[in-house]
Amino acid sequence: MDRLGSRCPLPGCPRPSVLLCLLILTASFLTYPMLRTLSQQLLSVVTGSYVSGTYSIVFVNCPNEQIARDIARAILDKKLTASVNILPKASSLYYWNGEIEEATEILLLIKTKTSKVHMLSSYIRLVHPFEIPEVFSLPMDQGDVHYLKWLEEGMEEE
């Protein structure tokens, strides 16, 4: 008994092995998302399969077609996307300053890497004429491998 008690001089102090186990469990819990992402990317490279959520579709409403085209061209030039669809005449109803408003807007569907969504959103907020532009994204669950490869190549820096 003396031998076991001699490892921890204070009475009631947990043994070093318990502390070590708690440390390992905590580190595993904190690094799990990163390790999961890395293992999915490795699997994707090895098998040529798509990892869900690698790409996203960003939705942005614009007040008119010219502004929509200007934003689309700018984000293409900056390699924040490889493809933008401009969908005309979306009818929008929304609250603004306590009132229900109606407008006809142009919808941009922007396909990009999920890792670029934050940078894309920040840029759109800078150039968009709305005080609070509608910018949100949804991760792509599935997609054609050839199309997604083309998207990737279209966003590569030269």
Side-chain angles (χ1 to χ4, degrees):
M1 273 307 223
D2 282 340
R3 203 168 201 197
L4 291 176
S6 67
R7 289 187 184 175
C8 188
L10 301 174
C13 178
R15 293 188 177 148
S17 59
V18 173
L19 292 175
L20 183 61
C21 287
L22 287 174
L23 180 64
I24 290 170
L25 283 173
T26 302
S28 299
F29 179 74
L30 294 174
T31 59
Y32 173 76
M34 180 187 65
L35 294 174
R36 183 174 183 266
T37 301
L38 289 173
S39 65
Q40 285 180 334
Q41 289 175 345
L42 179 62
L43 178 67
S44 174
V45 168
V46 170
T47 63
S49 62
Y50 173 67
V51 176
S52 180
T54 303
Y55 297 93
S56 291
I57 300 174
V58 179
F59 297 76
V60 177
N61 274 346
C62 297
N64 61 52
E65 192 167 341
Q66 187 57 54
I67 289 171
R69 287 187 184 283
D70 291 346
I71 290 173
R73 286 189 180 280
I75 60 178
L76 282 162
D77 285 341
K78 293 188 173 301
K79 301 286 187 181
L80 294 172
T81 183
S83 175
V84 181
N85 296 109
I86 299 174
L87 304 178
K89 298 191 180 186
S91 295
S92 298
L93 286 94
Y94 54 92
Y95 273 104
W96 185 251
N97 294 327
E99 300 288 325
I100 296 176
E101 300 285 336
E102 274 190 60
T104 301
E105 297 176 315
I106 309 301
L107 178 62
L108 298 177
L109 294 180
I110 304 164
K111 279 77 71 182
T112 190
K113 293 179 74 171
T114 301
S115 62
K116 292 189 177 218
V117 168
H118 180 72
M119 209 172 6
L120 176 67
S121 297
S122 296
Y123 180 76
I124 289 172
R125 278 193 305 276
L126 283 174
V127 299
H128 203 286
F130 289 169
E131 185 179 333
I132 303 172
E134 178 181 10
V135 180
F136 66 92
S137 68
L138 298 172
M140 288 185 201
D141 185 44
Q142 295 293 319
D144 178 73
V145 175
H146 302 289
Y147 176 76
L148 297 172
K149 185 174 189 266
W150 172 81
L151 269 182
E152 179 82 27
E153 290 168 357
M155 288 181 273
E156 288 177 354
E157 300 295 326
E158 294 173 357

